[in-house]
Amino acid sequence: MPLSTRPAAPGSLSDRAYVLIRNKILRGEFALGAPLSRRNLAAELEMSFVPISEAMQRLEAEGLVESRPRVGTRVRVPTPQDLRDRYIIREALETQSARLFCEKASSAEREEMRRMAARLDEMSERWTGGEDDPDFVFSVQSFHLSLHMRIAECTGCGPLCELIEKNQVLAINWLYDMAAGYQLPPGFHQPLIELLAGNDPDAADAAMRKHVRSGMQEILAAISERYGAGGGGLQGPEVLGEAVGAALWRSRYRRSADIASRSRRR
Amino acid sequence: MPLSTRPAAPGSLSDRAYVLIRNKILRGEFALGAPLSRRNLAAELEMSFVPISEAMQRLEAEGLVESRPRVGTRVRVPTPQDLRDRYIIREALETQSARLFCEKASSAEREEMRRMAARLDEMSERWTGGEDDPDFVFSVQSFHLSLHMRIAECTGCGPLCELIEKNQVLAINWLYDMAAGYQLPPGFHQPLIELLAGNDPDAADAAMRKHVRSGMQEILAAISERYGAGGGGLQGPEVLGEAVGAALWRSRYRRSADIASRSRRR
DNA sequence: TGCAATAAATTGCTATTTCAGTATATTTCA
DNA sequence: TGAAATATACTGAAATAGCAATTTATTGCA
């Protein structure tokens, strides 16, 4: 059992830094557009500059942060165009996932998916759409994600799973921070799963495509409703992301000067 | 104009290291399974350990190299299963690409694709299938890749392009090193492009799916033909990759001991 | 008061050094 | 002769220190 000094340190420092920073971003602890100083992070996470930089590099490659060469790094503020691009990718990956599931899943796996879909639809019926308990909303969204991931796992294609998961991450982040009012339509998943569990891959593909597209429409509508700037639909507010981001680039020297000075004194 | 000391250095050292090493792998200068010592690479490329390590990290994330924590890094030897997984991803991305092209491409872009397809089919007719000039084979493969990339570019979805390009890289490498005998069937692309340039997205999707699957069958057949181990088709040789790789892990202390000693003397 | 030039501070980037883990080569003992 | 133990060399990971580029704050001048 690990002692108190260094409890449970699996993987390298870079890996731990990556996971820690990633979770803080996803949970909103680091807000959209917030500046991320590598030095301050190194002091906070009690490690050196190099593993932090490596973690940042990975996060940048995944699109969660953006960095300008000698200026700074910040949590990326996705534009509506980013969201649309993500959904194009998601549609590509998940229709393939649905197709392969339909072709190759075992009967036990098909039955498992039916149960998951029923449970998810039951959860979203209890979702009033008003100001629900954030933990409840979080649990529904998590279960929603794991349902889609389970479909992908049943295809037996590991890289496909990884791509789907990576691609979903930013979308979920956006969802939480900007369009928290979004709610899953009731009875959204059981018809989908019925087609995936059938024996027509083309029908499974088409059903998943419709499912993903409808989800994107819902979210874009929720965003438009909250942040105005033109009617709903696909032509959402283009300027939102950059407006927020530009304002946030400026506030650099604000947080934790004490940590910086403390680390310098060593 | 840059002086002779440091000529034309765009991007960071990490970026340059990434591009240089990546190209050497793709061109076969670093063979499949070859050990890549970060220290020797640093000496060869005349830079330090850190940017090399960052480049290696990116290459590992993309699947071009694999690294064991305190053992070493080598060029990844893809297994037939890797190849199949790549083609699953490729099918997902390129059917989406075809669908979007069919929906959104301008008439000028459709005409451009027709010209490219005609030229590519013409090139592959001149391909005898025997021992052709390697430069010619390279140029055909490059043009083939750029045709598919051009389709993706016309969709206007940047991330889709990036994913397709990243996904193709390893497949191309495999193609060159292990299945060089593969040749494009004549008249392979013009019928495809005709459907992409039509007005039925579903037909474009289906045509691209058929195209990609047929390409995978061809390559797997070419591999089976060269490396035996059972009949052709999908059940190719599972053991090939690891057999080659395991043998190559062992030969570590072989190359460029002079460089290592020279760098130590500084 | 307004604007340009300068100074200070912070950033990401790179080099160098040190550390810790693994594999190979050598030695030692039965 | 063979197997176990040791020694050596090499590996990637991490810490530290310093550099170069950029932005912000300050100052000087009109």
Side-chain angles (χ1 to χ4, degrees):
Chain A
M1 190 174 285
L3 296 178
S4 62
T5 52
R6 275 288 167 269
S12 62
L13 283 185
S14 307
D15 294 340
R16 273 186 281 168
Y18 166 77
V19 171
L20 287 171
I21 299 172
R22 181 176 181 270
N23 287 351
K24 279 176 188 287
I25 294 174
L26 260 43
R27 292 191 155 273
E29 207 162 327
F30 292 147
L32 290 181
L36 299 178
S37 161
R38 287 152 141 93
R39 283 178 171 80
N40 290 351
L41 282 173
E44 286 178 25
L45 302 184
E46 292 179 319
M47 58 182 72
S48 180
F49 190 86
V50 182
I52 298 289
S53 274
E54 291 182 354
M56 293 304 233
Q57 183 185 316
R58 291 171 62 181
L59 292 168
E60 187 175 10
E62 293 171 11
L64 255 75
V65 309
E66 58 189 339
S67 172
R68 278 201 277 178
R70 312 267 173 152
V71 179
T73 308
R74 63 170 193 177
V75 182
R76 183 165 176 200
V77 182
T79 66
Q81 181 61 44
D82 289 333
L83 188 66
R84 280 192 288 264
D85 287 348
R86 291 259 168 186
Y87 266 89
I88 286 173
I89 309 279
R90 187 181 165 191
E91 186 181 308
L93 298 173
E94 294 229 44
T95 54
Q96 182 78 325
S97 177
R99 186 178 285 271
L100 290 175
F101 180 91
C102 185
E103 289 174 355
K104 300 170 40 176
S106 71
S107 53
E109 289 167 336
R110 289 163 202 263
E111 194 50 43
E112 179 191 355
M113 291 315 305
R114 284 200 183 90
R115 283 197 305 273
M116 286 186 81
R119 186 173 157 207
L120 178 59
D121 282 348
E122 184 196 352
M123 288 173 87
S124 52
E125 293 223 2
R126 264 186 285 143
W127 195 343
T128 67
E131 296 304 320
D132 285 280
D133 176 21
D135 286 341
F136 174 69
V137 174
F138 183 85
S139 69
V140 176
Q141 293 286 7
S142 297
F143 191 70
H144 183 203
L145 174 59
S146 55
L147 180 139
H148 282 270
M149 289 308 302
R150 193 77 192 94
I151 296 172
E153 285 167 15
C154 294
T155 67
C157 183
L160 184 62
C161 295
E162 292 169 26
L163 275 183
I164 289 176
E165 189 173 25
K166 285 282 161 61
N167 186 65
Q168 295 266 53
V169 166
L170 224 188
I172 281 186
N173 185 39
W174 170 282
L175 188 82
Y176 272 90
D177 285 72
M178 306 299 283
Y182 168 69
Q183 65 179 38
L184 290 171
F188 198 39
H189 283 87
Q190 280 178 291
L192 169 69
I193 294 297
E194 281 310 315
L195 281 168
L196 295 206
N199 55 4
D200 184 351
D202 289 326
D205 181 318
M208 182 61 88
R209 191 177 309 277
K210 185 181 164 195
H211 180 83
V212 170
R213 286 195 179 176
S214 131
M216 182 181 74
Q217 300 286 3
E218 297 271 350
I219 290 187
L220 283 175
I223 292 173
S224 287
E225 189 180 337
R226 282 214 159 190
Y227 299 92
L234 275 170
Q235 50 194 2
E238 283 305 338
V239 290
L240 178 59
E242 273 315 307
V244 177
L248 283 163
W249 263 121
R250 328 240 138 226
S251 62
R252 280 205 313 192
Y253 312 101
R254 199 60 61 195
R255 69 154 73 199
S256 63
D258 49 341
I259 291 181
S261 61
R262 182 157 52 85
S263 75
R264 199 183 303 119
R265 194 169 302 139
R266 287 182 183 173
Chain B
M1 187 176 286
L3 297 179
S4 62
T5 52
R6 276 284 168 272
S12 63
L13 283 185
S14 306
D15 294 340
R16 273 187 281 167
Y18 166 78
V19 171
L20 288 171
I21 299 172
R22 181 176 182 267
N23 287 349
K24 279 175 187 288
I25 294 174
L26 260 43
R27 292 191 153 272
E29 208 163 327
F30 293 148
L32 291 180
L36 299 178
S37 161
R38 288 153 140 93
R39 284 176 173 78
N40 291 351
L41 281 173
E44 286 178 25
L45 303 184
E46 291 178 318
M47 59 182 71
S48 180
F49 192 85
V50 182
I52 299 288
S53 276
E54 291 184 355
M56 293 303 234
Q57 184 186 316
R58 290 171 62 179
L59 292 168
E60 187 175 11
E62 293 171 10
L64 256 76
V65 308
E66 57 190 338
S67 173
R68 278 197 276 176
R70 309 275 173 154
V71 178
T73 308
R74 61 171 193 178
V75 183
R76 184 168 176 197
V77 181
T79 66
Q81 181 60 44
D82 289 332
L83 188 66
R84 280 192 286 265
D85 287 347
R86 291 259 167 184
Y87 266 89
I88 287 174
I89 309 280
R90 188 182 163 190
E91 185 181 310
L93 298 172
E94 294 228 43
T95 54
Q96 182 79 324
S97 177
R99 185 178 286 272
L100 289 175
F101 180 92
C102 185
E103 288 174 356
K104 299 168 43 175
S106 71
S107 54
E109 289 167 335
R110 288 163 203 262
E111 195 49 45
E112 180 191 356
M113 292 314 304
R114 284 200 183 91
R115 283 198 304 273
M116 286 187 80
R119 186 174 155 205
L120 179 58
D121 282 348
E122 184 195 352
M123 289 172 88
S124 52
E125 294 222 359
R126 267 187 283 142
W127 195 343
T128 67
E131 296 303 321
D132 285 280
D133 176 22
D135 286 341
F136 174 69
V137 174
F138 183 86
S139 70
V140 176
Q141 294 288 7
S142 298
F143 191 70
H144 183 202
L145 174 60
S146 57
L147 180 139
H148 282 270
M149 290 308 302
R150 193 76 191 95
I151 296 172
E153 285 168 15
C154 294
T155 66
C157 181
L160 184 61
C161 295
E162 291 169 26
L163 274 183
I164 290 176
E165 189 173 25
K166 285 281 161 60
N167 187 65
Q168 295 266 53
V169 166
L170 224 190
I172 281 187
N173 184 40
W174 170 281
L175 189 82
Y176 272 91
D177 284 72
M178 306 300 283
Y182 168 69
Q183 63 179 39
L184 289 171
F188 197 41
H189 283 86
Q190 279 178 292
L192 168 69
I193 295 297
E194 280 312 313
L195 280 167
L196 294 207
N199 55 5
D200 183 351
D202 290 326
D205 182 317
M208 181 62 88
R209 190 177 308 277
K210 186 181 162 195
H211 180 83
V212 171
R213 288 195 178 176
S214 134
M216 183 182 72
Q217 301 285 4
E218 297 269 349
I219 290 187
L220 284 175
I223 292 172
S224 289
E225 189 181 338
R226 281 214 160 190
Y227 300 91
L234 274 171
Q235 49 193 2
E238 283 304 340
V239 289
L240 179 61
E242 272 314 306
V244 177
L248 283 163
W249 264 121
R250 327 238 141 226
S251 62
R252 281 203 314 192
Y253 312 101
R254 198 61 59 196
R255 70 153 73 199
S256 64
D258 50 342
I259 291 179
S261 62
R262 180 158 53 82
S263 76
R264 199 182 304 120
R265 194 169 302 138
R266 288 184 183 171

